[in-house]
Amino acid sequence: MWSHRIVLSAGVVVLALLVLGDAPQRPVRPEPVAVGPGIPRPPIVSRKAWRANEGMVRDRATYTGAVSAVFLHHTGHLNGYDCADAPRMLRAMQEDHVESEGWDDIGYNFVVDRCGTIYEGRAGGVGRPVRGAHTKGFNADSIGIAALGTFGPGATVPKALEAGIVKVAAWKLRPEADPRGTVRLVSTNDESKYKKGEAAELHVISGHRDSFRTNCPGDVLYKRLPAIRESVARLRKR
C-alpha cells in the first residue's frame, strides 16, 4: 500500500492517496546511499510495502562485517506467477521460514521477482550488513539474494530478474570486493560442505550449491553466474 504526498505552495497541505491491493507500484527511487564504490541504492520495495508480518519475527536483527560475498538462491516457486502476487508469495515464504524452518525471520536479505522488482527480505535495514539465514556456515559477511522462481533444466532466466540481481549485488558488495574474484570465508558450522572452522575459497558471487549440498539456485541460473559477475563488475566501474 503506497501513499503519495502533494505539498501546495499556498500552505502546507498534505493529501494522502491510499492505493489498495497487494500489487506494488513502481518503487519510489530513494536518495542515493553509497555502499559500493559510488553505486547508488536501487529501488527496493520495503517490508512495510509488501506487508511483512513483523509480529512473527522472533529476534532482533544481528549485523556482521562489510559484505564480502553474495550467495544466489532460487525460491522454488512456479515461474508463471503474476508479479502482482509477489508480496503475497513473500508473506507465505516468511511464514514458512519461521514456522517450518525455525528461523527468526525470512532467511534471504533480498528477493527479486521475474519483473525485476527488488524486495527487502530479512529485517534490519537494507543499507546495513544484516546477518541472514540463507547459506549455512557462511551467513557472516555475506548476503543472500533469492530469485523468485525455479531455474532447473528447461527454465529461462528473465532479463529483468537478472538485472535486478546485478543491481543489488553491485550496491551491497564492499568497495574493495572484486565481483569476478574469490574470497576466503570460514565455515561457522558443520552443516555445509565445509567443517566448522574450515576455510573455503569461494567466488565473491556464488551459487548456494558452492557451499552447500543442494541444486540451488538451479542449473540454468547457476550457468548465468559468470555473466552476472561481469555485469556487476561493469556496473561498479561506471
Side-chain angles (χ1 to χ4, degrees):
M1 187 163 60
W2 298 82
S3 62
H4 302 269
R5 295 189 303 169
I6 304 173
V7 181
L8 302 180
S9 58
V12 182
V13 180
V14 178
L15 302 177
L17 175 62
L18 300 180
V19 181
L20 299 178
D22 276 343
Q25 295 181 358
R26 183 180 298 277
V28 176
R29 184 176 293 276
E31 291 297 318
V33 178
V35 175
I39 301 299
R41 167 182 156 173
I44 299 171
V45 176
S46 70
R47 288 171 61 91
K48 183 178 180 180
W50 63 262
R51 290 168 36 206
N53 186 345
E54 303 300 353
M56 186 180 291
V57 178
R58 294 179 174 176
D59 205 352
R60 293 183 178 180
T62 57
Y63 300 94
T64 66
V67 176
S68 298
V70 171
F71 287 98
L72 189 58
H73 303 257
H74 68 175
T75 64
H77 291 87
L78 296 177
N79 294 330
Y81 61 86
D82 188 324
C83 291
D85 289 332
R88 176 186 57 78
M89 296 163 71
L90 264 66
R91 292 195 296 272
M93 186 160 52
Q94 181 192 24
E95 182 177 358
D96 179 67
H97 284 188
V98 174
E99 300 297 338
S100 299
E101 300 293 342
W103 300 338
D104 296 335
D105 190 7
I106 191 170
Y108 310 120
N109 298 97
F110 299 93
V111 180
V112 184
D113 71 17
R114 67 187 187 91
C115 294
T117 303
I118 303 168
Y119 293 87
E120 177 184 10
R122 198 168 183 84
V126 295
R128 303 182 70 184
V130 179
R131 185 183 181 117
H134 50 83
T135 307
K136 288 183 178 181
F138 298 98
N139 288 312
D141 304 334
S142 71
I143 60 167
I145 303 174
L148 196 61
T150 300
F151 300 98
T156 58
V157 180
K159 290 182 179 180
L161 186 151
E162 185 170 313
I165 291 170
V166 167
K167 290 173 186 176
V168 72
W171 174 57
K172 287 296 294 185
L173 278 170
R174 64 184 178 85
E176 300 83 6
D178 178 2
R180 293 170 293 197
T182 59
V183 61
R184 184 177 181 273
L185 300 176
V186 178
S187 177
T188 59
N189 62 43
D190 294 324
E191 298 181 58
S192 71
K193 288 182 177 180
Y194 300 88
K195 294 181 180 180
K196 182 178 180 179
E198 185 178 356
E201 193 79 13
L202 298 167
H203 289 286
V204 168
I205 300 178
S206 290
H208 188 193
R209 65 175 65 178
D210 291 330
S211 65
F212 191 74
R213 292 175 181 84
T214 176
N215 289 325
C216 183
D219 291 348
V220 176
L221 184 52
Y222 189 79
K223 288 178 181 178
R224 294 298 303 163
L225 279 173
I228 289 172
R229 294 177 189 123
E230 290 294 333
S231 295
V232 171
R234 286 197 301 269
L235 183 57
R236 285 163 65 92
K237 285 183 179 179
R238 291 180 185 174

